[in-house]
Amino acid sequence: MTDAPEQEPRPADLWRQRVVRALRITRNGSVRGWRWWARTWDRLVAALQDEAPVGVGAGPSPPGPLVEQRDAPRLIAVPAQGYVYSFYVRATFAWSSPASLRAEVLNWYVGYFQPNAVQRLTRLAADAARDLPPHRAADLEVALQRALAGDPEWSYRRGDVLVTCRPDAAVRLDERMMPALRPHVDAMVRMEYQFDEQMRRATYAEELSRRWATILGDRLDEDADQEMADAREHLLAAQREAARWIGDLLHHRVTKS
């Protein structure tokens, strides 16, 4: 008795098996490819650093390290004293690398590390602003500039690649403070104008008295005349009064500020 011949698989079953096998191969290849790309990303970046620009018309690279200037995506808000109003910091970062990175590679690292730099600058600004009244934005800017001057370059590393940034910051007032501050600023502007005007008048009076006193002194040596002597003494007194006026104005300005 002979065995029955094996039934050949139908074309539909063969097609289904081939599709399943292809999907499995694609899935496994994708997983292996992703793992390979994750492991070798830094090596690929390092290899790209020394590649020449692609294209016939590509010119030579500029001398020195490439620098990318990038602003923070939005103003950094930090609370002022009392936590009712805020200061707003406009941050700018100049990124570069000791290695000769290509522009697209440096751009990738800037996007990767800039959130860290923004967070660090935010902490510095918050620490400096905590004890400042909300109208003293200039004092916060001075404090930030002083802190950045003490640590001007921040470094970040990924693998073998080192990138650095130089942060800069400018501070703006909370717009809700403007109506309250405008009358005081206007008064200060008027006082400053009056001070400048009085200083010009006092300086002119002092200089004019000095010149006339010198002229009369020369004439007094040639011809002793009591009226000229009296006039000279009067001008000298006016010169001293003008000098005292200048001193009083300067002292008043210092005490007011």
Side-chain angles (χ1 to χ4, degrees), residues 86-115:
S86 298
F87 298 108
Y88 292 91
V89 181
R90 182 181 299 279
T92 303
F93 304 90
W95 293 90
S96 60
S97 175
S100 56
L101 298 180
R102 294 174 62 188
E104 59 270 24
V105 178
L106 180 61
N107 180 272
W108 186 90
Y109 279 105
V110 170
Y112 186 83
F113 286 120
Q114 178 139 322

PDB file of all heavy atoms in Angstrom, residues 86-115:
ATOM      1  N   SER A  86       7.224  90.938  37.596  1.00  0.00           N
ATOM      2  CA  SER A  86       8.346  90.145  37.090  1.00  0.00           C
ATOM      3  C   SER A  86       9.309  91.026  36.308  1.00  0.00           C
ATOM      4  O   SER A  86       8.954  92.115  35.854  1.00  0.00           O
ATOM      5  CB  SER A  86       7.851  89.010  36.186  1.00  0.00           C
ATOM      6  OG  SER A  86       7.022  88.114  36.889  1.00  0.00           O
ATOM      7  N   PHE A  87      10.528  90.519  36.168  1.00  0.00           N
ATOM      8  CA  PHE A  87      11.485  91.048  35.201  1.00  0.00           C
ATOM      9  C   PHE A  87      11.505  90.109  34.005  1.00  0.00           C
ATOM     10  O   PHE A  87      11.276  88.905  34.130  1.00  0.00           O
ATOM     11  CB  PHE A  87      12.892  91.138  35.800  1.00  0.00           C
ATOM     12  CG  PHE A  87      13.003  92.070  36.971  1.00  0.00           C
ATOM     13  CD1 PHE A  87      13.179  91.584  38.247  1.00  0.00           C
ATOM     14  CD2 PHE A  87      12.953  93.443  36.791  1.00  0.00           C
ATOM     15  CE1 PHE A  87      13.294  92.434  39.337  1.00  0.00           C
ATOM     16  CE2 PHE A  87      13.068  94.308  37.868  1.00  0.00           C
ATOM     17  CZ  PHE A  87      13.233  93.807  39.139  1.00  0.00           C
ATOM     18  N   TYR A  88      11.822  90.664  32.839  1.00  0.00           N
ATOM     19  CA  TYR A  88      11.873  89.857  31.620  1.00  0.00           C
ATOM     20  C   TYR A  88      13.269  89.975  31.006  1.00  0.00           C
ATOM     21  O   TYR A  88      13.733  91.075  30.727  1.00  0.00           O
ATOM     22  CB  TYR A  88      10.800  90.303  30.632  1.00  0.00           C
ATOM     23  CG  TYR A  88       9.409  89.983  31.130  1.00  0.00           C
ATOM     24  CD1 TYR A  88       8.706  90.913  31.892  1.00  0.00           C
ATOM     25  CD2 TYR A  88       8.823  88.745  30.873  1.00  0.00           C
ATOM     26  CE1 TYR A  88       7.441  90.611  32.379  1.00  0.00           C
ATOM     27  CE2 TYR A  88       7.567  88.444  31.353  1.00  0.00           C
ATOM     28  CZ  TYR A  88       6.873  89.378  32.104  1.00  0.00           C
ATOM     29  OH  TYR A  88       5.627  89.073  32.591  1.00  0.00           O
ATOM     30  N   VAL A  89      13.910  88.833  30.840  1.00  0.00           N
ATOM     31  CA  VAL A  89      15.301  88.772  30.390  1.00  0.00           C
ATOM     32  C   VAL A  89      15.333  88.283  28.944  1.00  0.00           C
ATOM     33  O   VAL A  89      14.778  87.222  28.622  1.00  0.00           O
ATOM     34  CB  VAL A  89      16.127  87.834  31.289  1.00  0.00           C
ATOM     35  CG1 VAL A  89      17.584  87.798  30.825  1.00  0.00           C
ATOM     36  CG2 VAL A  89      16.030  88.255  32.747  1.00  0.00           C
ATOM     37  N   ARG A  90      15.969  89.077  28.087  1.00  0.00           N
ATOM     38  CA  ARG A  90      16.215  88.649  26.706  1.00  0.00           C
ATOM     39  C   ARG A  90      17.616  88.054  26.649  1.00  0.00           C
ATOM     40  O   ARG A  90      18.609  88.754  26.859  1.00  0.00           O
ATOM     41  CB  ARG A  90      16.091  89.828  25.741  1.00  0.00           C
ATOM     42  CG  ARG A  90      16.295  89.434  24.278  1.00  0.00           C
ATOM     43  CD  ARG A  90      16.196  90.641  23.362  1.00  0.00           C
ATOM     44  NE  ARG A  90      14.895  91.277  23.451  1.00  0.00           N
ATOM     45  CZ  ARG A  90      13.808  90.842  22.801  1.00  0.00           C
ATOM     46  NH1 ARG A  90      13.895  89.774  22.025  1.00  0.00           N
ATOM     47  NH2 ARG A  90      12.664  91.476  22.931  1.00  0.00           N
ATOM     48  N   ALA A  91      17.696  86.760  26.372  1.00  0.00           N
ATOM     49  CA  ALA A  91      18.969  86.036  26.420  1.00  0.00           C
ATOM     50  C   ALA A  91      19.452  85.706  25.018  1.00  0.00           C
ATOM     51  O   ALA A  91      18.667  85.330  24.140  1.00  0.00           O
ATOM     52  CB  ALA A  91      18.813  84.744  27.219  1.00  0.00           C
ATOM     53  N   THR A  92      20.758  85.855  24.815  1.00  0.00           N
ATOM     54  CA  THR A  92      21.417  85.516  23.559  1.00  0.00           C
ATOM     55  C   THR A  92      22.637  84.661  23.872  1.00  0.00           C
ATOM     56  O   THR A  92      23.363  84.938  24.831  1.00  0.00           O
ATOM     57  CB  THR A  92      21.848  86.783  22.805  1.00  0.00           C
ATOM     58  OG1 THR A  92      20.704  87.614  22.590  1.00  0.00           O
ATOM     59  CG2 THR A  92      22.470  86.437  21.462  1.00  0.00           C
ATOM     60  N   PHE A  93      22.868  83.642  23.057  1.00  0.00           N
ATOM     61  CA  PHE A  93      23.979  82.722  23.272  1.00  0.00           C
ATOM     62  C   PHE A  93      24.807  82.627  21.996  1.00  0.00           C
ATOM     63  O   PHE A  93      24.262  82.423  20.908  1.00  0.00           O
ATOM     64  CB  PHE A  93      23.467  81.324  23.657  1.00  0.00           C
ATOM     65  CG  PHE A  93      22.572  81.313  24.858  1.00  0.00           C
ATOM     66  CD1 PHE A  93      21.196  81.453  24.718  1.00  0.00           C
ATOM     67  CD2 PHE A  93      23.088  81.177  26.128  1.00  0.00           C
ATOM     68  CE1 PHE A  93      20.365  81.444  25.816  1.00  0.00           C
ATOM     69  CE2 PHE A  93      22.268  81.172  27.240  1.00  0.00           C
ATOM     70  CZ  PHE A  93      20.906  81.309  27.085  1.00  0.00           C
ATOM     71  N   ALA A  94      26.115  82.775  22.139  1.00  0.00           N
ATOM     72  CA  ALA A  94      27.050  82.616  21.020  1.00  0.00           C
ATOM     73  C   ALA A  94      27.728  81.264  21.176  1.00  0.00           C
ATOM     74  O   ALA A  94      28.549  81.069  22.074  1.00  0.00           O
ATOM     75  CB  ALA A  94      28.073  83.749  21.006  1.00  0.00           C
ATOM     76  N   TRP A  95      27.387  80.316  20.308  1.00  0.00           N
ATOM     77  CA  TRP A  95      27.877  78.934  20.401  1.00  0.00           C
ATOM     78  C   TRP A  95      29.051  78.725  19.448  1.00  0.00           C
ATOM     79  O   TRP A  95      29.063  79.230  18.326  1.00  0.00           O
ATOM     80  CB  TRP A  95      26.764  77.960  20.042  1.00  0.00           C
ATOM     81  CG  TRP A  95      25.634  77.931  21.030  1.00  0.00           C
ATOM     82  CD1 TRP A  95      24.507  78.707  21.010  1.00  0.00           C
ATOM     83  CD2 TRP A  95      25.523  77.091  22.171  1.00  0.00           C
ATOM     84  NE1 TRP A  95      23.700  78.403  22.070  1.00  0.00           N
ATOM     85  CE2 TRP A  95      24.295  77.412  22.803  1.00  0.00           C
ATOM     86  CE3 TRP A  95      26.323  76.103  22.726  1.00  0.00           C
ATOM     87  CZ2 TRP A  95      23.871  76.769  23.955  1.00  0.00           C
ATOM     88  CZ3 TRP A  95      25.899  75.454  23.879  1.00  0.00           C
ATOM     89  CH2 TRP A  95      24.686  75.791  24.486  1.00  0.00           C
ATOM     90  N   SER A  96      30.020  77.939  19.924  1.00  0.00           N
ATOM     91  CA  SER A  96      31.158  77.572  19.083  1.00  0.00           C
ATOM     92  C   SER A  96      31.742  76.276  19.625  1.00  0.00           C
ATOM     93  O   SER A  96      31.279  75.733  20.639  1.00  0.00           O
ATOM     94  CB  SER A  96      32.228  78.679  19.066  1.00  0.00           C
ATOM     95  OG  SER A  96      32.717  78.914  20.379  1.00  0.00           O
ATOM     96  N   SER A  97      32.766  75.797  18.938  1.00  0.00           N
ATOM     97  CA  SER A  97      33.429  74.556  19.355  1.00  0.00           C
ATOM     98  C   SER A  97      34.905  74.625  18.999  1.00  0.00           C
ATOM     99  O   SER A  97      35.263  75.184  17.958  1.00  0.00           O
ATOM    100  CB  SER A  97      32.789  73.339  18.678  1.00  0.00           C
ATOM    101  OG  SER A  97      33.510  72.151  18.994  1.00  0.00           O
ATOM    102  N   PRO A  98      35.772  74.100  19.874  1.00  0.00           N
ATOM    103  CA  PRO A  98      37.194  74.050  19.515  1.00  0.00           C
ATOM    104  C   PRO A  98      37.449  73.199  18.279  1.00  0.00           C
ATOM    105  O   PRO A  98      38.395  73.443  17.545  1.00  0.00           O
ATOM    106  CB  PRO A  98      37.857  73.448  20.760  1.00  0.00           C
ATOM    107  CG  PRO A  98      36.874  73.637  21.870  1.00  0.00           C
ATOM    108  CD  PRO A  98      35.527  73.591  21.238  1.00  0.00           C
ATOM    109  N   ALA A  99      36.595  72.202  18.044  1.00  0.00           N
ATOM    110  CA  ALA A  99      36.741  71.370  16.853  1.00  0.00           C
ATOM    111  C   ALA A  99      36.151  72.106  15.647  1.00  0.00           C
ATOM    112  O   ALA A  99      35.315  72.991  15.776  1.00  0.00           O
ATOM    113  CB  ALA A  99      36.040  70.034  17.047  1.00  0.00           C
ATOM    114  N   SER A 100      36.590  71.710  14.473  1.00  0.00           N
ATOM    115  CA  SER A 100      36.124  72.347  13.235  1.00  0.00           C
ATOM    116  C   SER A 100      34.813  71.694  12.797  1.00  0.00           C
ATOM    117  O   SER A 100      34.755  70.946  11.830  1.00  0.00           O
ATOM    118  CB  SER A 100      37.189  72.223  12.142  1.00  0.00           C
ATOM    119  OG  SER A 100      37.515  70.857  11.942  1.00  0.00           O
ATOM    120  N   LEU A 101      33.734  71.981  13.528  1.00  0.00           N
ATOM    121  CA  LEU A 101      32.441  71.406  13.206  1.00  0.00           C
ATOM    122  C   LEU A 101      31.837  72.076  11.978  1.00  0.00           C
ATOM    123  O   LEU A 101      31.980  73.282  11.785  1.00  0.00           O
ATOM    124  CB  LEU A 101      31.484  71.575  14.384  1.00  0.00           C
ATOM    125  CG  LEU A 101      31.854  70.891  15.702  1.00  0.00           C
ATOM    126  CD1 LEU A 101      30.785  71.178  16.747  1.00  0.00           C
ATOM    127  CD2 LEU A 101      32.019  69.398  15.509  1.00  0.00           C
ATOM    128  N   ARG A 102      31.148  71.306  11.192  1.00  0.00           N
ATOM    129  CA  ARG A 102      30.379  71.870  10.097  1.00  0.00           C
ATOM    130  C   ARG A 102      29.152  72.565  10.650  1.00  0.00           C
ATOM    131  O   ARG A 102      28.713  72.320  11.772  1.00  0.00           O
ATOM    132  CB  ARG A 102      29.990  70.770   9.118  1.00  0.00           C
ATOM    133  CG  ARG A 102      31.181  70.148   8.392  1.00  0.00           C
ATOM    134  CD  ARG A 102      30.749  68.971   7.560  1.00  0.00           C
ATOM    135  NE  ARG A 102      29.792  69.372   6.516  1.00  0.00           N
ATOM    136  CZ  ARG A 102      29.141  68.498   5.762  1.00  0.00           C
ATOM    137  NH1 ARG A 102      29.326  67.200   5.935  1.00  0.00           N
ATOM    138  NH2 ARG A 102      28.302  68.925   4.848  1.00  0.00           N
ATOM    139  N   ALA A 103      28.574  73.471   9.848  1.00  0.00           N
ATOM    140  CA  ALA A 103      27.471  74.306  10.320  1.00  0.00           C
ATOM    141  C   ALA A 103      26.283  73.466  10.771  1.00  0.00           C
ATOM    142  O   ALA A 103      25.682  73.721  11.815  1.00  0.00           O
ATOM    143  CB  ALA A 103      27.055  75.278   9.213  1.00  0.00           C
ATOM    144  N   GLU A 104      25.921  72.428   9.984  1.00  0.00           N
ATOM    145  CA  GLU A 104      24.757  71.626  10.349  1.00  0.00           C
ATOM    146  C   GLU A 104      25.006  70.798  11.607  1.00  0.00           C
ATOM    147  O   GLU A 104      24.090  70.540  12.386  1.00  0.00           O
ATOM    148  CB  GLU A 104      24.339  70.714   9.187  1.00  0.00           C
ATOM    149  CG  GLU A 104      25.409  69.739   8.712  1.00  0.00           C
ATOM    150  CD  GLU A 104      26.273  70.338   7.615  1.00  0.00           C
ATOM    151  OE1 GLU A 104      26.373  71.576   7.535  1.00  0.00           O
ATOM    152  OE2 GLU A 104      26.844  69.545   6.844  1.00  0.00           O
ATOM    153  N   VAL A 105      26.250  70.393  11.814  1.00  0.00           N
ATOM    154  CA  VAL A 105      26.577  69.628  13.030  1.00  0.00           C
ATOM    155  C   VAL A 105      26.519  70.534  14.257  1.00  0.00           C
ATOM    156  O   VAL A 105      25.932  70.184  15.286  1.00  0.00           O
ATOM    157  CB  VAL A 105      27.971  68.976  12.891  1.00  0.00           C
ATOM    158  CG1 VAL A 105      28.331  68.236  14.169  1.00  0.00           C
ATOM    159  CG2 VAL A 105      27.995  68.030  11.699  1.00  0.00           C
ATOM    160  N   LEU A 106      27.126  71.738  14.152  1.00  0.00           N
ATOM    161  CA  LEU A 106      27.056  72.683  15.265  1.00  0.00           C
ATOM    162  C   LEU A 106      25.608  73.060  15.547  1.00  0.00           C
ATOM    163  O   LEU A 106      25.205  73.185  16.715  1.00  0.00           O
ATOM    164  CB  LEU A 106      27.874  73.929  14.935  1.00  0.00           C
ATOM    165  CG  LEU A 106      27.887  75.019  16.011  1.00  0.00           C
ATOM    166  CD1 LEU A 106      28.479  74.510  17.319  1.00  0.00           C
ATOM    167  CD2 LEU A 106      28.660  76.248  15.521  1.00  0.00           C
ATOM    168  N   ASN A 107      24.809  73.211  14.510  1.00  0.00           N
ATOM    169  CA  ASN A 107      23.399  73.546  14.691  1.00  0.00           C
ATOM    170  C   ASN A 107      22.679  72.464  15.491  1.00  0.00           C
ATOM    171  O   ASN A 107      21.835  72.765  16.359  1.00  0.00           O
ATOM    172  CB  ASN A 107      22.742  73.729  13.316  1.00  0.00           C
ATOM    173  CG  ASN A 107      21.284  74.086  13.422  1.00  0.00           C
ATOM    174  OD1 ASN A 107      20.416  73.219  13.489  1.00  0.00           O
ATOM    175  ND2 ASN A 107      20.998  75.372  13.425  1.00  0.00           N
ATOM    176  N   TRP A 108      23.009  71.210  15.241  1.00  0.00           N
ATOM    177  CA  TRP A 108      22.375  70.118  15.989  1.00  0.00           C
ATOM    178  C   TRP A 108      22.757  70.183  17.467  1.00  0.00           C
ATOM    179  O   TRP A 108      21.905  70.043  18.343  1.00  0.00           O
ATOM    180  CB  TRP A 108      22.797  68.772  15.398  1.00  0.00           C
ATOM    181  CG  TRP A 108      22.077  67.615  16.032  1.00  0.00           C
ATOM    182  CD1 TRP A 108      20.898  67.069  15.634  1.00  0.00           C
ATOM    183  CD2 TRP A 108      22.500  66.877  17.190  1.00  0.00           C
ATOM    184  NE1 TRP A 108      20.552  66.036  16.471  1.00  0.00           N
ATOM    185  CE2 TRP A 108      21.511  65.903  17.437  1.00  0.00           C
ATOM    186  CE3 TRP A 108      23.597  66.957  18.033  1.00  0.00           C
ATOM    187  CZ2 TRP A 108      21.597  65.010  18.488  1.00  0.00           C
ATOM    188  CZ3 TRP A 108      23.685  66.071  19.101  1.00  0.00           C
ATOM    189  CH2 TRP A 108      22.702  65.103  19.325  1.00  0.00           C
ATOM    190  N   TYR A 109      24.034  70.416  17.747  1.00  0.00           N
ATOM    191  CA  TYR A 109      24.470  70.495  19.144  1.00  0.00           C
ATOM    192  C   TYR A 109      23.877  71.714  19.854  1.00  0.00           C
ATOM    193  O   TYR A 109      23.555  71.651  21.044  1.00  0.00           O
ATOM    194  CB  TYR A 109      25.999  70.523  19.214  1.00  0.00           C
ATOM    195  CG  TYR A 109      26.620  69.162  19.088  1.00  0.00           C
ATOM    196  CD1 TYR A 109      27.256  68.773  17.906  1.00  0.00           C
ATOM    197  CD2 TYR A 109      26.567  68.257  20.137  1.00  0.00           C
ATOM    198  CE1 TYR A 109      27.812  67.517  17.776  1.00  0.00           C
ATOM    199  CE2 TYR A 109      27.129  67.000  20.015  1.00  0.00           C
ATOM    200  CZ  TYR A 109      27.748  66.633  18.843  1.00  0.00           C
ATOM    201  OH  TYR A 109      28.294  65.378  18.724  1.00  0.00           O
ATOM    202  N   VAL A 110      23.731  72.826  19.139  1.00  0.00           N
ATOM    203  CA  VAL A 110      23.113  74.004  19.752  1.00  0.00           C
ATOM    204  C   VAL A 110      21.678  73.684  20.161  1.00  0.00           C
ATOM    205  O   VAL A 110      21.236  74.017  21.268  1.00  0.00           O
ATOM    206  CB  VAL A 110      23.160  75.200  18.778  1.00  0.00           C
ATOM    207  CG1 VAL A 110      22.314  76.354  19.302  1.00  0.00           C
ATOM    208  CG2 VAL A 110      24.595  75.670  18.582  1.00  0.00           C
ATOM    209  N   GLY A 111      20.926  73.053  19.270  1.00  0.00           N
ATOM    210  CA  GLY A 111      19.563  72.671  19.617  1.00  0.00           C
ATOM    211  C   GLY A 111      19.503  71.693  20.770  1.00  0.00           C
ATOM    212  O   GLY A 111      18.543  71.698  21.553  1.00  0.00           O
ATOM    213  N   TYR A 112      20.525  70.861  20.895  1.00  0.00           N
ATOM    214  CA  TYR A 112      20.555  69.864  21.971  1.00  0.00           C
ATOM    215  C   TYR A 112      20.878  70.498  23.318  1.00  0.00           C
ATOM    216  O   TYR A 112      20.283  70.141  24.352  1.00  0.00           O
ATOM    217  CB  TYR A 112      21.588  68.782  21.616  1.00  0.00           C
ATOM    218  CG  TYR A 112      21.629  67.625  22.573  1.00  0.00           C
ATOM    219  CD1 TYR A 112      20.732  66.571  22.458  1.00  0.00           C
ATOM    220  CD2 TYR A 112      22.584  67.571  23.599  1.00  0.00           C
ATOM    221  CE1 TYR A 112      20.777  65.490  23.337  1.00  0.00           C
ATOM    222  CE2 TYR A 112      22.625  66.511  24.483  1.00  0.00           C
ATOM    223  CZ  TYR A 112      21.724  65.471  24.343  1.00  0.00           C
ATOM    224  OH  TYR A 112      21.766  64.419  25.225  1.00  0.00           O
ATOM    225  N   PHE A 113      21.820  71.453  23.354  1.00  0.00           N
ATOM    226  CA  PHE A 113      22.299  71.987  24.630  1.00  0.00           C
ATOM    227  C   PHE A 113      21.662  73.316  25.033  1.00  0.00           C
ATOM    228  O   PHE A 113      21.758  73.697  26.204  1.00  0.00           O
ATOM    229  CB  PHE A 113      23.827  72.182  24.569  1.00  0.00           C
ATOM    230  CG  PHE A 113      24.603  70.903  24.648  1.00  0.00           C
ATOM    231  CD1 PHE A 113      25.443  70.520  23.609  1.00  0.00           C
ATOM    232  CD2 PHE A 113      24.506  70.082  25.753  1.00  0.00           C
ATOM    233  CE1 PHE A 113      26.171  69.342  23.672  1.00  0.00           C
ATOM    234  CE2 PHE A 113      25.226  68.899  25.829  1.00  0.00           C
ATOM    235  CZ  PHE A 113      26.056  68.532  24.792  1.00  0.00           C
ATOM    236  N   GLN A 114      21.029  74.037  24.108  1.00  0.00           N
ATOM    237  CA  GLN A 114      20.530  75.364  24.484  1.00  0.00           C
ATOM    238  C   GLN A 114      19.500  75.325  25.608  1.00  0.00           C
ATOM    239  O   GLN A 114      19.501  76.225  26.453  1.00  0.00           O
ATOM    240  CB  GLN A 114      19.967  76.098  23.268  1.00  0.00           C
ATOM    241  CG  GLN A 114      19.399  77.460  23.611  1.00  0.00           C
ATOM    242  CD  GLN A 114      19.748  78.519  22.599  1.00  0.00           C
ATOM    243  OE1 GLN A 114      20.845  78.551  22.063  1.00  0.00           O
ATOM    244  NE2 GLN A 114      18.809  79.386  22.328  1.00  0.00           N
ATOM    245  N   PRO A 115      18.595  74.348  25.693  1.00  0.00           N
ATOM    246  CA  PRO A 115      17.693  74.318  26.861  1.00  0.00           C
ATOM    247  C   PRO A 115      18.442  74.303  28.191  1.00  0.00           C
ATOM    248  O   PRO A 115      17.998  74.926  29.164  1.00  0.00           O
ATOM    249  CB  PRO A 115      16.885  73.037  26.641  1.00  0.00           C
ATOM    250  CG  PRO A 115      16.889  72.849  25.159  1.00  0.00           C
ATOM    251  CD  PRO A 115      18.241  73.309  24.707  1.00  0.00           C
TER     252      PRO A 115
END
